[in-house]
Each structure stands twice: as C-alpha cells, then as structure tokens.
Amino acid sequence: MSKIVIGHKNPDTDSICSALGYAALLSAKGEDAVACRCGEVSKETQYALDYFKVAAPKFIEKVEEGQEVFMVDHNEFPQAVDGIESAALQGIIDHHKMDLHTASPMFIHTEAVGCTATIVSNMHWCQGVEMAKETAGLLLSAIISDTLLFKSPTCTEKDKKTAAKLAEIAGVDLNAYGMEMLKAGAGVGDMTPAEIAKNDSKPFTFGKYKAIVSQISVMDPAEVMALKDLLLVAMSNMCKHEGYDLSLVMVTDIMNESTDLLYVGEPKQLLADAFGKAADGDCMHLPGVVSRKKQIVPQLTEAAAKL
Ligand SMILES: [Mn+2]
C-alpha cells in the first residue's frame, strides 16, 4: 500500500499543497507515496489547484491501522486524520508548536518558518530533486496563503527567498498571482454562518479548557461582521454540540492587518488576560494581529498557565 502524506483536518492551502509537494518529492526518490486530505478544499486552495491544473488530493475519512503516514503542516493528533493513533507514523514536516510523543523513532523536520511549503521546497533543492512547474506553483500558493503575501509576522526571509525562486520555476508574477489567489479565497460568498464559524478551524487545549479557534481572512471584514449575531449563535452551538468551552473566530482584515476576534464561552478572563483588553462583550478588535499561530495561540496558552 502507498505511503500517505496528509495535512490537518479542515485543510488550508498549505496542508493540501505541502502534502502534494512532499508526496512528489518522495515519489521522485522512488518511494510509493500519495497525497491525501481529510477535509474539503477551500475556495482559495481550489483557485491554486485550478490555476496550475492539478487535481485535489484524494479525500480519506480515516487511515487504517498500520498505514504508513507522513503528517505535514501539523503534529497534534486532535488536528490529524481519524485513525492516526494506530497508524504507522513515518514522519512529520511542520512549522507549528510541537506537542509530540511518538511511539517509535521517526523522521521529524520542523522549522520556525512561515509555511510548511517553504520546508518542502528546500528539501527538494537540498536533495537535488527537480521540481515540476505545477508543484512549484502549488508550494508558492501555500507560502502566499500562510504568510498573507509576506505580511504575517510568521513570515521569514527564508519564506520570501523560497517564494521568489518558486515563482520563477512556476512562471508567475508573484505579487499579481498572490493578490488574485488571496482574493479568490477571501469573500464569504454563499457561506452559512455555521460554515464561517468553522472556517479553517483548529482545536486547542488551553490549560484545562477546550477551545476551537477558526479564522476567516477577508478583504472586507464588514461583510462578515454584518452576520455577527448569527455567527455567535453558530459558535455557541458548536461549543454545545462538540464539547468546547470556548469558540473563537478570527475575522482577519488582510489589507489593514488587523483582526476582530469574536468569542463565545468561558472563561472570558482567559481572553482578557491574553490580550490585555476587557472581554465582557463578544468581540475584541486586535490591530496588527493576523496570525493565529504567533499572535493568538501562544498568548492564550500563556494566560491559561497563569489562570
Ligand atoms: Mn502551514
């Protein structure tokens, strides 16, 4: 059976494209590897796949016991495909905080860069593996997505250099393509409040509290904020039905680099402590905040430790 390369649930562009990119690298090195996904393809990712004429990875509900799996763009089991606990984990390539206990030794490559695709791209080059034009385009798309076209504080020089090199291989104008791709994914279109509340969501544990943190990046936050009351109901339902103490939705303004953080659940003190603002309502404006990984999750983790 082929080895599976797979990103996290609710896959973003990095999780889809790094899975395809790493599967391509393994295949080029003679391994039998295939990219998979465990969630729907977002509008932004679909734009990239269509642009470079690549089919989405195969959808799988769960992995079988003993299945050989590489995890990309995540390392926490609650975010991973169902069945991961009994899979034969082969390796992890990631750029998130690590929360990891492995049953056996394995290949782990993690770097504090803005995108898993940056790591995957450089693995190709370090190993002298030629990269197909389409693969370069998809890996570039992932970097643009994760770094919000280099605006996110998670973005490093390595991401920028890698993206420039990928754009050359893919034959696209980096900025023009980047803006088009972000725009394609940014509108809420016909999404329901429940879909928005779950967009790009990831579960986390902060101290003894279970939280789900979603993010929707938009050009016009007013479009989302007009649905605020319905969103709050959807978030509250998600807490009730899925057992979360807190539901957070980051409505991120790509152009102005800020986030309106909607919140439902308890303890609100956790939010007040984490962001140094009153948390007696249901929304907090956070100027300069665009990154869940760097500007939301660490602050909540730290505040929970002191609560
Ligand atoms: Mn990523």
Side-chain angles (χ1 to χ4, degrees):
M1 206 194 301
S2 305
K3 293 175 181 173
I4 284 176
V5 184
I6 192 165
H8 53 76
K9 281 181 178 165
N10 265 312
D12 58 2
T13 300
D14 191 20
S15 264
I16 297 287
C17 296
S18 285
L20 287 165
Y22 193 59
L25 175 62
L26 289 174
S27 301
K29 303 205 80 180
E31 294 207 48
D32 180 13
V34 61
C36 290
R37 64 184 164 96
C38 50
E40 294 301 314
V41 173
S42 74
K43 279 187 295 180
E44 179 193 272
T45 310
Q46 194 60 54
Y47 177 89
L49 290 168
D50 290 344
Y51 191 96
F52 294 103
K53 300 188 176 62
V54 176
K58 185 181 162 205
F59 174 80
I60 53 170
E61 200 104 35
K62 63 184 291 254
V63 289
E64 301 301 324
E65 196 178 332
Q67 167 69 49
E68 293 177 301
V69 176
F70 286 92
M71 289 164 73
V72 294
D73 197 34
H74 67 310
N75 66 78
E76 302 187 38
F77 280 8
Q79 299 174 1
V81 63
D82 289 346
I84 192 73
E85 296 82 359
S86 57
L89 198 52
Q90 300 295 295
I92 296 171
I93 299 138
D94 192 21
H95 67 133
H96 292 88
K97 73 182 171 77
M98 303 299 280
D99 183 22
L100 201 57
H101 302 274
T102 65
S104 51
M106 70 181 67
F107 176 80
I108 295 178
H109 186 146
T110 170
E111 281 182 53
V113 289
C115 185
T116 305
T118 297
I119 304 172
V120 173
S121 302
N122 285 282
M123 286 170 104
H124 276 81
W125 299 326
C126 289
Q127 297 177 34
V129 172
E130 205 177 318
M131 193 189 289
K133 201 175 160 180
E134 307 80 67
T135 305
L138 293 178
L139 292 169
L140 171 66
S141 303
I143 297 175
I144 292 165
S145 170
D146 264 17
T147 66
L148 288 174
L149 203 48
F150 316 123
K151 281 188 190 166
S152 170
T154 57
C155 185
T156 65
E157 277 308 309
K158 189 169 184 177
D159 296 299
K160 289 183 197 168
K161 274 190 197 148
T162 303
K165 197 164 164 182
L166 290 169
E168 210 173 292
I169 300 171
V172 296
D173 179 296
L174 206 168
N175 282 300
Y177 171 75
M179 279 311 289
E180 281 311 306
M181 191 201 77
L182 290 177
K183 257 189 228 161
V188 291
D190 53 4
M191 287 170 86
T192 65
E195 284 167 342
I196 296 172
K198 261 214 130 143
N199 190 67
D200 185 18
S201 67
K202 285 184 184 173
F204 293 95
T205 304
F206 300 121
K208 57 183 180 184
Y209 304 103
K210 278 184 70 186
I212 181 156
V213 185
S214 309
Q215 182 171 29
I216 183 145
S217 299
V218 292
M219 299 283 174
D220 177 18
E223 192 190 1
V224 182
M225 295 309 275
L227 301 168
K228 187 176 133 189
D229 291 346
L230 293 170
L231 271 174
L232 292 169
V233 172
M235 290 161 68
S236 162
N237 285 337
M238 201 153 65
C239 285
K240 237 178 271 162
H241 298 134
E242 298 177 33
Y244 294 108
D245 300 298
L246 277 165
S247 163
L248 309 180
V249 174
M250 298 172 65
V251 182
T252 298
D253 183 335
I254 303 173
M255 300 316 286
N256 291 312
E257 297 175 49
S258 67
T259 288
D260 285 313
L261 183 67
L262 298 175
Y263 52 90
V264 160
E266 296 295 338
K268 295 207 170 50
Q269 191 57 43
L270 185 62
L271 300 163
D273 293 350
F275 305 111
K277 296 201 175 212
D280 42 10
D282 44 34
C283 181
M284 224 180 241
H285 184 67
L286 303 173
V289 171
V290 294
S291 166
R292 170 172 51 199
K293 186 191 284 115
K294 210 155 184 169
Q295 296 171 300
I296 297 285
V297 170
Q299 288 73 4
L300 286 167
T301 305
E302 206 172 297
K306 291 182 194 149
L307 200 66

